């Protein structure tokens, strides 16, 4: 016969820790929870943990509101919670971050663990009923807010049942890319460069684990005249020593592809990557060029990372 | 009504499989060193332990080491040594981390960890050994006179058995001096100069993905093919475990070229190295770069 403690262990252990699904972008205006490893999620109903098996996939449709009633907005990061409704249904609840890289600044929302499970507020019954599922950011570029999960915008990230997905940055321009500098300073595409910048696409993602690392590669092809430069993947345009590696190339006449590798530690929340270049002037025998022209738009400056979402 | 056997099945399966946390350094420095290792909740806060009679669940905020400087036999932790990490049952609400010394860099030298009849890895199936649940491994380092755990770019020495996450390990030339590869044959060699090795622990034979690049080849009078890439565990041949290769043919003149590679690698149990090397028919020199750049470097994505 099971003891009372064993029954509690089973209730808390096997029911509370159940979470077999993932939050997933269904379309631009809908976010849903889909069964993954299994179709059960443990939710606290105010008295005990209950194994909830949704009859239909829970969906939220934009426009939607946060816990405090604010409308979900582009460019804002939100935590996503599952809120118990019945043994066969739950709804989504959203809590906006204080900024794109910092969670709540509301001291009444401690966001902690209740019986080991990450919840909205472990100190209130209503907060215990909101189980953390992951985070999203709505499209921060233009127009109507929408959920995004593409190669260049990984804006749906799960806390449970994560998987590895690629994120990409590339030059989408139809014209050559020209880079002007006489120094060794790092410059990100799209910052202070007077050509084809509007079409530059950024690879972006959000991370909820500060200790998650990234590693990736970048390919580059350059053209005709004597050049000497470095390329890399920039992470949040921060310290180059952490975010960039060099792939130097000096060549007289050939188009020459080169590959480099890089690593970086994302910050919590919104991150972005770009390809970066810099001319160099530390070669005594070669004066730096002031203009670098890149051949074959679209082939130049592709960068790829693997992220966990 | 459930039978006793069915109840027993529930008790075993439902409780013993609970392990929601990870081991990690606590209060680590920017370089990743720490004098404290902790088990902390990750996907959830439960961990099931054998209390001597049955499997039970504890849900602590964290689990500290029983003694931060001693292994299970009471010996002081040794530098450059691997240890398996177990969570041992203490009370109905607490456990402790216990470190068991490996015999070598790539060999445990003892029979554990062992699976219980329920499939969970524990130290062994003795009365005490079953109370110790396996959660991962660490390698201790020493800086001056202090022992440290470390989880940093160049030394990934905290690795979990459950809930693995991706981490980057790096090898680079931080010495600021040129690297010279001297070999009279065509076989490549590891460059053994400067702070180039990245090291990491591995508990399984995994395939990893990563890339490398090498600084400007400034030995300019060589008109030969040369090879360079990132090595795993100094395996130098062109077959077997290695990270990746590229080759470059240069003509005469004062010109440099940097080969870059991307590839995969298989690892071994325990300590692994990530390093950089190359090969040529004559010596060749790699330019280390000028601050803030690091030209010769490699990175690898691993699971810890």
């Amino acid at each position: 016969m099971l003891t009372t403690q064993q029954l509690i262990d089973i209730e808390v252990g096997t029911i509370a820790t159940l979470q077999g699904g993932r939050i997933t972008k269904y379309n631009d205006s809908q976010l849903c929870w889909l069964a993954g490893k299994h179709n059960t999620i443990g939710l606290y109903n105010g008295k005990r943990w209950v194994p909830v098996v949704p009859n239909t996939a829970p969906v939220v449709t934009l426009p939607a509101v946060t816990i405090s009633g604010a409308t979900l907005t582009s460019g804002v990061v939100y935590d996503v919670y599952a809120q118990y409704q019945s043994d066969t249904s739950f709804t989504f609840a959203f809590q906006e971050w204080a900024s794109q890289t910092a969670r709540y600044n509301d001291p009444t929302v401690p966001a902690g663990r209740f019986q080991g499970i990450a919840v909205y507020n472990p100190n209130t019954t209503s907060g215990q009923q909101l189980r953390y599922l992951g985070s999203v950011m709505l499209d921060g570029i233009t127009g109507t807010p929408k959920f995004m999960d593409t190669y260049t915008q990984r804006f749906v990230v799960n806390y449970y049942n994560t998987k590895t997905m690629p994120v990409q940055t590339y030059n989408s321009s139809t014209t050559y890319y020209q880079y002007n500098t006489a120094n060794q300073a790092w410059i990100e595409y799209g910052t202070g460069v007077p050509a084809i910048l509007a079409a530059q696409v950024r690879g972006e993602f959000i991370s909820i684990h500060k200790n998650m690392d990234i590693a990736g590669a970048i390919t580059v092809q350059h053209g005709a005249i004597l050049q000497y430069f470095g390329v890399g993947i920039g992470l949040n345009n921060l310290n180059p020593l952490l975010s960039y590696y060099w792939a130097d190339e000096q060549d007289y006449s050939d188009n020459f592809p080169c590959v480099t590798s890089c690593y970086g530690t994302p910050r919590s929340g919104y991150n972005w990557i770009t390809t970066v270049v810099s001319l160099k002037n530390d070669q005594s025998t070669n004066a730096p060029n002031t203009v670098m022209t890149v051949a074959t738009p679209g082939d130049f400056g592709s960068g790829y990372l693997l992220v966990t979402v | 009504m459930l039978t006793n056997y069915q109840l027993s099945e529930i008790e075993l399966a439902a409780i013993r499989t609970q392990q929601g946390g990870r081991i990690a350094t606590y209060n680590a420095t920017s370089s990743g060193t720490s004098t404290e290792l902790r088990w902390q909740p990750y996907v959830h806060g439960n961990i099931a332990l054998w209390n001597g009679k049955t499997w039970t669940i504890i849900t602590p905020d964290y689990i500290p080491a029983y003694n931060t400087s001693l292994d299970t036999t009471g010996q002081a932790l040794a530098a450059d040594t691997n240890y398996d990490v177990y969570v041992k049952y203490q009370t109905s609400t607490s456990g402790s981390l216990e470190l068991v010394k490996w015999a070598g860099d790539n060999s445990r030298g003892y029979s554990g960890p062992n699976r219980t009849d329920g499939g969970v890895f524990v130290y062994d199936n003795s009365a005490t050994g079953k109370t110790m649940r396996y959660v991962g491994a660490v390698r201790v380092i020493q800086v001056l006179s202090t022992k440290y755990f470390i989880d940093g770019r160049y030394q990934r020495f905290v690795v979990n058995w459950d809930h693995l996450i991706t981490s980057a390990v790096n090898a680079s030339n931080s010495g600021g001096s040129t690297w010279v590869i001297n070999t009279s044959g065509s076989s490549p060699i590891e460059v053994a100069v400067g702070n180039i090795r990245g090291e990491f622990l591995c508990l399984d034979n995994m395939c990893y993905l990563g890339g490398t690049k090498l600084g400007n080849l400034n030995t300019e009078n060589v008109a030969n093919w040369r090879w360079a890439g990132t090595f795993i565990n100094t395996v130098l041949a062109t077959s077997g475990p290695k990270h990746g290769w590229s080759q470059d043919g240069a003509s005469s003149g004062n010109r440099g070229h940097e080969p870059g590679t991307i590839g995969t690698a298989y690892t071994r149990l325990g300590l692994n190295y990530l390093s950089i090397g190359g090969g040529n028919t004559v010596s060749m020199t790699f330019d280390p770069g000028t601050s803030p750049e690091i030209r010769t470097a490699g990175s690898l994505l691993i699971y810890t």
Side-chain angles (χ1 to χ4, degrees):
Chain A
M1 192 65 180
L2 296 181
T3 66
T4 300
Q5 182 57 49
Q6 287 172 323
L7 289 171
I8 293 173
D9 281 350
I10 290 172
E11 195 262 334
V12 173
T14 61
I15 299 176
T17 57
L18 290 173
Q19 211 300 73
R22 287 171 48 84
I23 54 172
T24 306
K25 174 190 171 181
Y26 184 70
N27 56 42
D28 284 355
S29 62
Q30 290 187 307
L31 185 77
C32 63
W33 179 91
L34 294 178
K37 291 181 177 177
H38 55 79
N39 65 346
T40 305
I41 179 172
L43 295 177
Y44 192 68
N45 69 0
K47 294 182 179 179
R48 62 186 178 89
W49 290 95
V50 176
V52 174
V53 182
N55 283 335
T56 58
V59 175
V60 62
T61 302
L62 298 176
V65 297
T66 66
I67 293 170
S68 62
T71 301
L72 268 57
T73 307
S74 295
V76 177
V77 180
Y78 297 94
D79 280 342
V80 182
Y81 295 92
Q83 184 169 25
Y84 175 85
Q85 298 296 327
S86 73
D87 289 3
T88 57
S89 67
F90 70 82
T91 56
F92 288 109
F94 295 89
Q95 169 65 47
E96 68 268 28
W97 284 31
S99 72
Q100 289 182 333
T101 55
R103 277 198 160 89
Y104 334 124
N105 56 7
D106 180 354
T108 65
V109 185
R113 291 180 181 272
F114 171 58
Q115 296 184 346
I117 306 299
V119 297
Y120 178 69
N121 187 335
N123 300 320
T124 65
T125 301
S126 60
Q128 294 162 358
Q129 294 181 68
L130 297 175
R131 183 185 188 131
Y132 179 60
L133 297 178
S135 300
V136 299
M137 189 169 89
L138 275 61
D139 176 27
I141 299 176
T142 58
T144 305
K146 48 182 174 287
F147 297 109
M148 300 297 295
D149 186 19
T150 67
Y151 282 106
T152 54
Q153 288 180 300
R154 294 290 178 201
F155 284 171
V156 178
V157 58
N158 278 269
Y159 187 68
Y160 298 95
N161 308 315
T162 57
K163 60 182 181 180
T164 303
M165 296 290 286
V167 63
Q168 180 185 18
T169 181
Y170 61 94
N171 175 16
S172 64
S173 172
T174 57
T175 60
Y176 288 170
Y177 172 77
Q178 288 190 321
Y179 178 72
N180 294 276
T181 181
N183 299 312
Q184 198 174 316
W186 286 99
I187 291 188
E188 171 201 2
Y189 287 11
T191 302
V193 185
I196 68 165
L197 302 178
Q200 181 62 32
V201 174
R202 284 176 169 176
E204 302 169 309
F205 63 96
I206 59 176
S207 164
I208 58 172
H209 300 301
K210 287 183 178 178
N211 58 349
M212 185 182 74
D213 282 333
I214 57 177
I218 184 173
T219 59
V220 65
Q221 188 171 29
H222 79 90
I225 59 175
L226 176 64
Q227 310 285 356
Y228 197 79
F229 62 95
V231 298
I233 296 175
L235 177 64
N236 302 324
N237 205 19
L238 296 175
N239 187 344
L241 285 176
L242 294 177
S243 304
Y244 310 103
Y245 278 168
W246 283 91
D248 301 327
E249 170 62 14
Q250 176 182 331
D251 192 28
Y252 286 100
S253 59
D254 299 331
N255 293 330
F256 202 98
C258 60
V259 177
T260 189
S261 63
C262 75
Y263 63 86
T265 301
R267 60 194 177 194
S268 183
Y270 174 65
N271 293 263
W272 45 264
I273 62 167
T274 54
T275 46
V276 291
V277 295
S278 175
L279 294 182
K280 299 173 54 55
N281 62 359
D282 63 346
Q283 297 299 300
S284 59
T285 56
N286 295 310
N289 288 271
T290 55
V291 177
M292 181 172 68
T293 302
V294 182
T296 317
D299 291 341
F300 173 68
S302 299
Y304 307 89
L305 295 174
L306 291 176
V307 297
T308 304
V309 295
Chain B
M1 188 66 180
L2 295 178
T3 65
N4 284 339
Y5 179 74
Q6 289 170 322
L7 289 171
S8 176
E9 280 186 324
I10 292 173
E11 184 263 332
L12 284 174
I15 296 176
R16 73 180 177 228
T17 53
Q18 292 286 307
Q19 207 298 75
R22 286 173 47 84
I23 54 171
T25 54
Y26 181 71
N27 272 346
T29 65
S30 59
S31 62
T33 57
S34 168
T35 56
E36 185 172 353
L37 188 73
R38 285 184 173 185
W39 176 98
Q40 295 172 319
Y42 188 62
V43 291
H44 59 79
N46 294 344
I47 181 168
L49 301 172
W50 179 258
N51 66 5
K53 295 181 179 178
T54 186
W55 286 97
T56 188
I57 291 175
I58 65 172
T59 313
D61 291 338
Y62 67 93
I63 297 174
Y66 179 73
N67 187 310
T68 56
S69 58
L70 302 178
D71 66 16
T72 48
T73 66
Q75 292 183 313
L77 299 183
D80 303 324
T81 303
N82 301 345
Y83 292 87
D84 279 330
V85 182
Y86 295 85
V87 173
K88 184 178 183 181
Y89 178 86
Q90 294 292 339
T91 72
S92 61
T93 58
S94 67
S96 61
L97 296 184
E98 306 284 345
L99 275 60
V100 177
K101 187 178 181 179
W102 286 33
D105 290 342
N106 302 100
S107 172
R108 281 190 165 92
Y110 74 103
S111 62
N114 296 279
R115 286 193 190 275
T116 66
D117 52 5
V120 176
F121 271 115
V122 295
Y123 180 75
D124 62 29
N125 277 300
S126 67
T128 301
K130 198 173 174 181
T131 65
M132 296 167 58
R133 183 184 188 123
Y134 185 59
V135 290
V138 297
R139 182 177 174 86
V140 174
I141 67 167
Q142 180 169 331
V143 179
L144 298 178
S145 59
T146 304
K147 307 288 197 318
Y148 290 102
F149 304 107
I150 185 168
D151 183 20
R153 290 272 175 234
Y154 291 92
Q155 290 178 307
R156 293 289 181 196
F157 284 168
V158 179
V159 58
N160 280 265
W161 182 247
D162 302 293
H163 311 300
L164 301 180
I165 63 173
T166 54
S167 299
V169 63
N170 187 37
S172 70
N173 176 13
S174 64
S177 57
T178 57
W179 294 4
V180 179
I181 294 177
N182 288 297
T183 177
S184 58
S186 58
S187 297
I189 61 170
E190 178 191 22
V191 180
V193 179
N195 180 19
I196 59 170
R197 277 185 170 180
E199 302 173 314
F200 57 99
L201 282 182
C202 188
L203 298 178
D204 205 348
N205 188 16
M206 295 182 179
C207 183
Y208 295 141
L209 173 68
T212 189
K213 64 186 189 58
L214 289 167
N216 182 40
L217 271 171
N218 57 15
T219 300
E220 314 293 359
N221 58 350
V222 179
N224 297 302
W225 288 93
R226 42 274 185 109
W227 297 262
T230 305
F231 291 70
I232 288 288
N233 301 326
T234 69
V235 175
L236 308 181
T238 54
S239 62
K242 61 182 183 297
H243 185 41
W245 288 95
S246 75
Q247 55 188 17
D248 173 42
S251 58
S252 61
N254 181 20
R255 59 197 312 188
H257 180 69
E258 175 184 286
T261 66
I262 184 167
T264 59
Y266 288 94
T267 58
R268 62 191 178 195
L269 176 72
L271 181 65
N272 291 264
Y273 299 98
L274 173 70
S275 58
I276 296 168
N280 195 7
T281 54
V282 296
S283 71
M284 58 184 176
T285 304
F286 290 98
D287 186 342
T290 303
S291 179
E293 63 181 299
I294 299 174
R295 290 187 193 165
T296 306
S299 62
L300 197 66
L301 199 62
I302 63 172
Y303 292 93
T304 60

